[in-house]
Amino acid sequence: KVPVGKTPALAKSSEVKIRVELAEALKGEVKPEDQVYIFAQALNGPKAPLAAVKKQVKDLPLELVLDDSMAMMPGRGISSVEDLKLIARVSSSGNPMAQPGDIYGELELKGQDRSGLKQIVIKDTVQ
């Protein structure tokens, strides 16, 4: 139910459901213990994560919810921005910052396109 005076299009969702999986072709190139960093950031503006989760390759494929409770800074969660970029990256070094050779997948969500399950396939290599 939408509060009086608000339209559904203007109500920003405070969560996004995602499924993260590793491309079949890359399964032999990673170790089960390699870290997987999954995070949301503003598509435009500061690149600091709005929500973040750390898993391992052995957990893939997985489904999870990124929401405002995972905000790194108070008041700066998923609901604080209009457009999101979702990123899932495998780090064999364990470094949370992207390193050349890491593999990743990303997805851009513009406006209110946050309903339903969004899929990220880890298939690209950081240059």
Side-chain angles (χ1 to χ4, degrees):
K1 188 151 169 101
V2 178
V4 175
K6 296 269 186 186
T7 61
L10 297 177
K12 288 189 197 127
S13 175
S14 63
E15 68 176 34
V16 61
K17 295 179 178 104
I18 59 174
R19 175 182 169 84
V20 179
E21 59 186 70
L22 185 63
E24 198 65 40
L26 297 174
K27 290 187 177 173
E29 297 184 26
V30 294
K31 297 192 271 318
E33 314 72 51
D34 285 349
Q35 299 297 315
V36 179
Y37 295 97
I38 304 158
F39 56 97
Q41 63 184 194
L43 186 58
N44 304 302
K47 297 301 174 203
L50 302 170
V53 174
K54 183 169 89 171
K55 296 289 187 180
Q56 292 183 311
V57 168
K58 65 184 174 191
D59 299 322
L60 300 175
L62 67 90
E63 290 183 13
L64 64 130
V65 175
L66 294 177
D67 63 30
D68 279 352
S69 74
M70 301 168 173
M72 310 302 254
M73 295 175 10
R76 186 96 173 104
I78 286 177
S79 64
S80 70
V81 299
E82 189 72 26
D83 302 325
L84 288 174
K85 180 187 277 190
L86 305 175
I87 301 168
R89 184 174 40 78
V90 175
S91 171
S92 56
S93 70
N95 189 331
M97 302 302 288
Q99 305 293 309
D102 285 354
I103 54 175
Y104 72 98
E106 63 184 32
L107 177 65
E108 293 181 359
L109 300 180
K110 298 202 177 181
Q112 300 309 312
D113 183 26
R114 298 185 190 181
S115 61
L117 186 65
K118 307 300 180 186
Q119 183 167 323
I120 300 174
V121 178
I122 298 171
K123 62 181 175 12
D124 299 310
T125 303
V126 175
Q127 299 300 317

